[in-house]
Amino acid sequence: MQKPAIVILGVGRLGSALACLARDYGYPLTAITAGHRETAVAFSEATSIPAYFDNVEAAAQGDIILITVSDRILPVVLEELIAGKRLRSGQVLLHTSGVLAGEALAAARQFGTSVGSMHPLQSFADIETARRNLSGSAFAIDGDPEAVAAASRLAIDLGGKLLRVPPEERVLYHAAACIASNYLVALLHVAEKLLARWTTEDKEALQALLPLVAGTLRNVAQQGTSAALTGPIIRGDASTVGQHLKALPQDFLNVYQILGQEALKLSGDRIPVAEREAIASLLSADKKNH
């Protein structure tokens, strides 16, 4: 059975990765666009996928149209497609925004086009890592039945897993993704800055931390978050927690306390009540009280 032709509107890091992967898995790529003409030309020359410089004309070339631009640009592209009046019945129009549901494309239904969203739960630092990381990632999918069916098939063909998030809870889903990815990076930066006082440069500190982080992630993958928790809080070691709080610079105190409170919740009833209360008191106290 022939696979539907795909058009990518906006070949940035995600759009480029999706285009290459979809083609690798047997989908015909009939058109791409980009925010800059030079980007579209370069990508087309590297992949032999036809480049278009007009989103309306490009969208007319496909069965599945993926809008992979930023959330800020998405309404602009949608307005172009609506004004161009080249969308048609039988087409599927999808966006890849994390925070928006498929309903953001509702205006396209006037042409008989099915609309939806297909957001990969993954981070994309560059095109190559995006391409490697997409396989095995979860895709949050919602929208019209035809759009959900097409997006689900595409996600599975790319090696992904399906995650059905109710449209009204899409913002909460995106917040979870932000915490797991963006805030993990910020947290590692905090640890890197603390450790850097014993290294000649920050990069050296980060390299020292990465095996610890990788080992922790392996433990989480194998055992889950609760069983993977280690350290002074799960041991009920209020003395060490107190020493940490006294040693930490003011700038990092809130991070330690907030995450410590979550670790205390995660520990459940594995800590004796007296130790739990002592740690809770330390984690909620002001710096001046330590």
Side-chain angles (χ1 to χ4, degrees), residues 5-268:
I6 292 180
V7 168
I8 307 283
L9 305 183
V11 285
R13 287 173 291 189
L14 174 56
S16 300
L18 285 171
C20 293
L21 273 176
R23 189 183 61 174
D24 290 347
Y25 283 95
Y27 283 85
L29 268 292
T30 50
I32 59 96
T33 66
H36 300 284
R37 179 179 290 262
E38 299 80 6
T39 303
V41 170
F43 187 78
S44 179
E45 290 177 349
T47 62
S48 299
I49 299 172
Y52 284 73
F53 309 110
D54 178 85
N55 286 323
V56 173
E57 186 63 26
Q61 311 306 313
D63 303 310
I64 298 176
I65 306 159
L66 283 167
I67 306 178
T68 58
V69 299
S70 67
D71 290 2
R72 180 176 58 84
I73 302 299
L74 179 60
V76 177
V77 174
L78 179 61
E79 286 180 14
E80 290 178 3
L81 298 180
I82 299 303
K85 298 182 179 179
R86 296 289 301 277
L87 297 175
R88 62 182 182 272
S89 178
Q91 281 184 314
V92 170
L93 182 64
L94 302 168
H95 69 69
T96 56
S97 168
V99 75
L100 298 173
E103 197 64 21
L105 302 176
R109 292 194 184 110
Q110 63 185 281
F111 303 103
T113 305
S114 299
V115 302
S117 69
M118 177 182 170
H119 176 258
L121 190 57
Q122 187 55 261
S123 62
F124 306 107
D126 56 60
I127 293 172
E128 279 309 309
T129 57
R131 191 171 176 177
R132 287 196 302 269
N133 292 345
L134 269 174
S135 183
S137 298
F139 285 78
I141 292 171
D142 80 285
D144 299 334
E146 297 85 353
V148 168
S152 298
R153 179 186 173 194
L154 177 58
I156 291 172
D157 283 350
L158 297 183
K161 303 171 185 176
L162 304 184
L163 184 62
R164 298 298 298 273
V165 179
E168 65 274 13
E169 296 183 351
R170 194 59 176 262
V171 175
L172 189 60
Y173 152 81
H174 193 253
C178 180
I179 291 169
S181 177
N182 311 149
Y183 293 175
L184 175 60
V185 174
L187 183 63
L188 289 176
H189 181 61
V190 169
E192 177 186 35
K193 290 204 301 188
L194 284 170
L195 202 68
R197 66 175 63 201
W198 303 291
T199 63
T200 55
E201 56 183 28
D202 288 355
K203 183 178 179 181
E204 201 179 329
L206 180 61
Q207 291 303 313
L209 287 165
L210 287 178
L212 170 63
V213 175
T216 301
L217 288 177
R218 282 194 297 271
N219 292 341
V220 170
Q222 294 168 7
Q223 304 176 44
T225 51
S226 180
L229 183 63
T230 62
I233 290 179
I234 190 63
R235 294 196 301 268
D237 187 353
S239 174
T240 296
V241 172
Q243 291 180 69
H244 286 174
L245 291 168
K246 287 179 181 178
L248 278 168
Q250 182 72 40
D251 289 349
F252 305 115
L253 187 66
N254 286 344
V255 173
Y256 185 97
Q257 288 180 305
I258 290 170
L259 293 176
Q261 289 166 7
E262 291 303 315
L264 192 60
K265 294 175 188 175
L266 185 58
S267 67

